[in-house]
């Protein structure tokens, strides 16, 4: 994925895309058609569990990043390698957390919200590729980290 464009010096275009898709998930959840009544109960429960798991993972991942946290693919100057907590399992757990949360919102509200959630998965996979290109250039030890932590967003999915 080396040819994925950076979309700005810090990757601002990727942030704009993700914000637009997050807004689309919210709009579809609020305005989209409800799930069929026969399935709604179990889907709301599953959605609540996934949403809570996503929220918890987001908080834990943000704490593990600390001051290195930024919405942009380009890391802050003198960023240290984050390899503890959820970063031992996947290289981009913040995106994983967002996907869990958005899938939970979609399941709890409307099938239509799954459409921007899937698009968000694609955007975050591409944004992660751009971010990794920047990290390889600037963070010592990142190459070895990618060899130890093989999965980008989802465990067991390359």
């Amino acid at each position: 994925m080396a040819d994925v464009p950076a979309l700005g010096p810090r990757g601002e275009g990727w942030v704009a895309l993700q914000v637009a898709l997050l807004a689309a998930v919210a709009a579809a959840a609020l305005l989209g058609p409800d799930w069929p009544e026969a399935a709604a109960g179990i889907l709301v429960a599953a959605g609540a569990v996934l949403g809570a798991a996503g929220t918890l993972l987001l908080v834990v991942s943000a704490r593990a990043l600390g001051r290195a946290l930024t919405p942009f693919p380009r890391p802050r100057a003198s960023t240290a390698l984050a390899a503890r907590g959820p970063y031992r399992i996947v290289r981009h757990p913040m995106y994983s957390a967002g996907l869990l949360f958005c899938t939970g919102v979609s399941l709890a509200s409307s099938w239509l919200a799954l459409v921007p959630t899937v698009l968000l998965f694609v955007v975050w996979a591409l944004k992660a590729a751009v971010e990794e290109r920047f990290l390889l250039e600037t963070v010592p030890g990142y190459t070895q980290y990618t060899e130890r932590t093989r999965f980008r967003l989802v465990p067991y999915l390359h």
Side-chain angles (χ1 to χ4, degrees):
M1 286 198 196
D3 58 341
V4 177
L7 300 183
R10 294 185 303 165
E12 299 89 343
W14 291 107
V15 176
L17 279 170
Q18 82 184 22
V19 167
L21 287 169
L22 287 167
V25 170
L30 292 171
L31 305 172
D34 293 336
W35 289 98
E37 194 172 318
I42 190 73
L43 290 173
V44 168
V49 169
L50 288 176
T55 301
L56 178 62
L57 181 58
L58 184 73
V59 170
V60 171
S61 299
R63 287 184 57 117
L65 269 182
R67 299 176 88 169
L69 180 62
T70 177
F72 301 105
R74 183 174 296 282
R76 296 181 191 279
S78 67
T79 290
L81 178 64
R84 61 186 177 96
Y87 290 88
R88 290 176 302 167
I89 301 165
V90 293
R91 297 192 302 259
H92 301 278
M94 296 286 292
Y95 301 149
S96 306
L99 291 169
L100 277 173
F101 180 80
C102 289
T103 301
V105 166
S106 300
L107 292 178
S109 59
S110 173
W111 60 266
L112 190 59
L114 286 171
V115 174
T117 298
V118 168
L119 293 174
L120 196 55
F121 177 82
V122 172
V123 165
W124 276 335
L126 294 170
K127 182 181 174 194
V130 172
E131 188 171 334
E132 290 196 342
R133 195 167 64 226
F134 290 142
L135 289 165
L136 286 166
E137 293 170 1
T138 60
V139 176
Y142 196 78
T143 300
Q144 294 79 9
Y145 170 69
T146 63
E147 292 166 0
R148 285 190 317 270
T149 308
R150 297 179 314 162
F151 309 112
R152 271 195 184 151
L153 299 173
V154 179
Y156 307 105
L157 181 63
H158 289 277

